[in-house]
Amino acid sequence: MQNNNFSKFSPRTNEKLYDVKITTSEDVNDICLRAKLAFESWRKKSVNERKKYLKKIVEIIRDNSEHIINTIMLDVEKPFCEAETEVIESCDILEYYCSEEFQGIDSPVEIELNTETWPYKKAYGLYEPSGVYAVIKPWNYPFELIIWSIVPLLIAGNTIVLKPSELSNATGILLREITSKAGLPEGVFNIIEGDGTTGNYLIENKNICGISFTGSSKVGKKIFEKKKNMSVKLSLEMGGSDFAIVLSDAIDEIALPGILWGSFSNAGQVCVGIEKVLISKNKYEEFIKKLILETKKLVLKEEIPPIISRKQYLHIRDVVDEAIKHGGKLLCGGFDIKNDDIKKGNYMLPTIIECKDYEYLSSIEEIFAPVIFVAPFENEQHAVKIVNSSCYGLGCSIWTDRVEKHDFLYRALDVGMIWVNEVNLPMPQVPWIGRKESGVGFNLSKNAVYDSMNFKSIHIDNDSSKRFWWYPYIQRS
């Protein structure tokens, strides 16, 4: 007899928290069909009508913020302030989309033509929703990432089948309650539960017209290969393994705490978390001493949560061991934890490893852990070469006191996002986008709405005479 569920374990104690139901392939098919039927009426609603439901969702989130925060904290063991930030930013995202105007969706928008050349012609553009979207989201931001993915899809008029991560299922299914309370029409927003097998059922379903995925490059590339030759819209945010570049003119009072937070918040389990730090050779030794000193002050549990699962914890140990075998030097951190209570969970100390083998440094895959690799660099061209050698291209942070002096870096780095004297700060108005093996398509901004739609051009001519370029080409008797 097939097992209908599996257990989710606490990252803090490795004790069972709850069971996750496995949605069968038959149920996935029925739910996708329900979403397809709902699409026909949902797409006919105006943008303003759809916004009304989203405004209700904001109200419900605010009214239930304490419950949502507590669920996130229990599910993935985030510190309170990080769980609270998810709720705050989710509301900001919803309010942004509800306040924006979207031309070309409810009615065609005119496209400017050369009136001297085409005095009688008019051209219009119209955006139409794609259909049913499969939304597959990870556990590291179990509430916010779902919100920022589904809101532009709903604004556009698409319907949704969501599969939250099995490692944060309790947080994911909160959206079922929230959308139900908001009165969202039946079938517009649907949730299935399960693991990767369930996710495969979803992306392979014939009624799926678009996929919004956030997760590893390995899985994202599999989705891309399966769907690249089909008429399925893809938004794939994949692995990062981001670099930070500390220039010789960086202000330590900004760069040190910024890199510390960018590297170790959420135990480094952040897609644009800093995993590799390049430091100008002129300040390398002094900066590293300060970075080690500040890293050692961080407190497990209160500031550094556990790794999400035992399986991931053991994988990280292997990655660290492999890096040291390749000549990496452990500067601080590791797995030697004295507290017996903490040792029950998937905790590791915030870790710094020196790695001056630049080819190996660029080849290290996304580790998703409180681990950073550090190395000196010669000049800006050297830093660019190291960063661009990576297969990833999500984000990069630059730390400098002379923002206007580094235009070369801003242009030369082959990444989708650059932060200067900041890191990992999403803004609803700004596209969230990667390059190379880090991403396809848009998250956030208006681009995420239009990217989930199909564009149609409409050509109209008011000239009542026959066009001179039509047949016949030759004069006939």
Side-chain angles (χ1 to χ4, degrees):
M1 182 176 177
Q2 185 178 0
N3 190 6
N4 293 322
N5 56 55
F6 58 89
S7 298
K8 148 73 180 180
F9 296 92
S10 164
R12 181 173 58 85
T13 64
N14 279 305
E15 295 174 350
K16 178 179 172 180
L17 280 181
Y18 54 79
D19 285 326
V20 178
K21 173 188 172 184
I22 299 176
T23 308
T24 65
S25 59
E26 292 80 8
D27 287 341
V28 170
N29 188 59
D30 290 344
I31 291 167
C32 290
L33 182 58
R34 187 190 311 156
K36 182 180 180 182
L37 295 173
F39 173 67
E40 295 308 316
S41 57
W42 181 248
R43 69 180 299 181
K44 294 175 184 175
K45 293 185 182 295
S46 69
V47 170
N48 283 337
E49 286 177 307
R50 296 195 283 261
K51 283 181 179 179
K52 289 178 182 177
Y53 294 101
L54 298 180
K55 289 175 182 178
K56 289 179 182 177
I57 289 175
V58 178
E59 293 175 9
I60 294 167
I61 291 173
R62 291 198 190 281
D63 291 343
N64 295 273
S65 60
E66 184 177 348
H67 173 58
I68 296 168
I69 290 168
N70 288 334
T71 303
I72 294 170
M73 291 174 66
L74 179 63
D75 221 5
V76 296
E77 286 297 331
K78 283 197 175 191
F80 174 85
C81 60
E82 293 183 16
E84 182 186 39
T85 298
E86 282 204 50
V87 174
I88 293 170
E89 291 185 348
S90 293
C91 291
D92 288 346
I93 290 165
L94 278 155
E95 289 175 340
Y96 160 72
Y97 281 106
C98 287
S99 67
E100 284 296 302
E101 297 297 323
F102 297 91
Q103 294 184 330
I105 296 180
D106 288 337
S107 58
V109 61
E110 186 171 357
I111 300 170
E112 187 176 345
L113 301 177
N114 186 321
T115 54
E116 291 186 8
T117 306
W118 309 110
Y120 301 106
K121 291 189 179 294
K122 296 283 186 180
Y124 299 88
L126 181 64
Y127 287 92
E128 299 174 324
S130 299
V132 183
Y133 251 82
V135 177
I136 301 173
K137 295 291 135 175
W139 47 264
N140 60 325
Y141 288 88
F143 192 79
E144 182 180 355
L145 282 181
I146 293 175
I147 290 292
W148 87 7
S149 300
I150 68 173
V151 171
L153 299 179
L154 292 173
I155 284 280
N158 300 297
T159 56
I160 291 167
V161 181
L162 165 71
K163 193 202 87 67
S165 169
E166 62 271 26
L167 297 175
S168 58
N169 199 67
T171 305
I173 62 176
L174 283 177
L175 270 298
R176 179 187 290 148
E177 302 168 22
I178 292 169
T179 55
S180 178
K181 286 181 181 178
L184 210 63
E186 181 72 23
V188 170
F189 179 79
N190 311 270
I191 289 183
I192 61 173
E193 302 173 54
D195 55 11
T197 301
T198 312
N200 282 330
Y201 294 151
L202 179 58
I203 65 172
E204 291 174 358
N205 189 275
K206 63 182 180 181
N207 292 311
I208 295 299
C209 297
I211 298 171
S212 174
F213 168 82
T214 302
S216 71
S217 294
K218 180 180 178 181
V219 176
K221 285 191 288 186
K222 287 181 179 178
I223 294 173
F224 182 80
E225 289 301 318
K226 283 183 179 180
K227 299 297 181 181
K228 67 179 180 181
N229 295 321
M230 301 175 68
S231 56
V232 174
K233 295 229 171 232
L234 296 176
S235 173
L236 310 175
E237 186 201 327
M238 302 183 281
S241 197
D242 285 6
F243 282 83
I245 300 174
V246 182
L247 296 168
S248 58
D249 59 7
I251 302 173
D252 289 359
E253 289 74 18
I254 297 294
L256 279 166
I259 287 174
L260 208 68
W261 182 81
S263 303
F264 300 129
S265 62
N266 200 27
Q269 299 169 127
V270 182
C271 60
V272 290
I274 297 169
E275 296 195 355
K276 297 155 186 174
V277 184
L278 300 177
I279 304 160
S280 172
K281 67 175 184 178
N282 296 330
K283 68 181 303 170
Y284 181 76
E285 295 299 334
E286 180 186 357
F287 192 85
I288 285 295
K289 287 178 183 177
K290 292 179 181 179
L291 186 62
I292 291 171
L293 182 65
E294 295 304 315
T295 298
K296 288 181 176 180
K297 294 177 184 178
L298 295 173
V299 180
L300 293 180
K301 292 178 70 173
E302 286 81 0
E303 294 177 315
I304 307 295
I307 307 302
I308 189 63
S309 69
R310 199 66 182 172
K311 179 181 178 182
Q312 177 66 5
Y313 171 85
L314 295 173
H315 168 70
I316 293 164
R317 293 195 73 132
D318 290 341
V319 172
V320 170
D321 289 344
E322 188 68 20
I324 292 172
K325 286 179 184 177
H326 274 83
K329 181 181 178 183
L330 183 67
L331 300 182
C332 72
F335 302 90
D336 187 16
I337 296 171
K338 308 299 182 184
N339 188 311
D340 289 336
D341 182 53
I342 292 178
K343 286 171 72 173
K344 294 176 184 176
N346 306 321
Y347 290 95
M348 69 173 294
L349 297 166
T351 299
I352 301 175
I353 300 173
E354 186 177 66
C355 179
K356 295 183 179 180
D357 182 338
Y358 298 110
E359 184 176 348
Y360 180 73
L361 181 67
S362 295
S363 72
I364 298 172
E365 296 184 355
E366 183 180 45
I367 186 171
F368 235 53
V371 178
I372 55 172
F373 296 88
V374 297
F377 69 89
E378 295 291 327
N379 50 43
E380 290 188 9
Q381 288 80 6
H382 185 211
V384 167
K385 181 180 179 181
I386 297 168
V387 174
N388 289 355
S389 295
S390 171
C391 65
Y392 301 106
L394 195 53
C396 180
S397 61
I398 299 169
W399 304 86
T400 175
D401 188 33
R402 296 185 297 170
V403 172
E404 72 286 351
K405 297 291 185 181
H406 303 290
D407 188 63
F408 166 75
L409 276 180
Y410 308 153
R411 293 177 180 273
L413 291 168
D414 192 10
V415 297
M417 298 176 287
I418 290 174
W419 286 271
V420 182
N421 297 329
E422 185 57 272
V423 64
N424 184 22
L425 183 65
M427 296 181 180
Q429 302 87 346
V430 183
W432 189 274
I433 187 169
R435 296 183 180 180
K436 297 186 282 188
E437 292 187 12
S438 289
V440 174
F442 290 90
N443 283 290
L444 300 180
S445 78
K446 284 187 174 183
N447 299 73
V449 175
Y450 292 117
D451 202 44
S452 73
M453 306 184 80
N454 295 313
F455 182 80
K456 179 182 288 181
S457 59
I458 302 168
H459 302 260
I460 296 174
D461 199 304
N462 293 308
D463 188 356
S464 59
S465 60
K466 183 176 80 69
R467 316 297 180 262
F468 69 85
W469 56 85
W470 292 352
Y471 287 128
Y473 293 156
I474 57 177
Q475 195 170 16
R476 295 177 182 146
S477 57

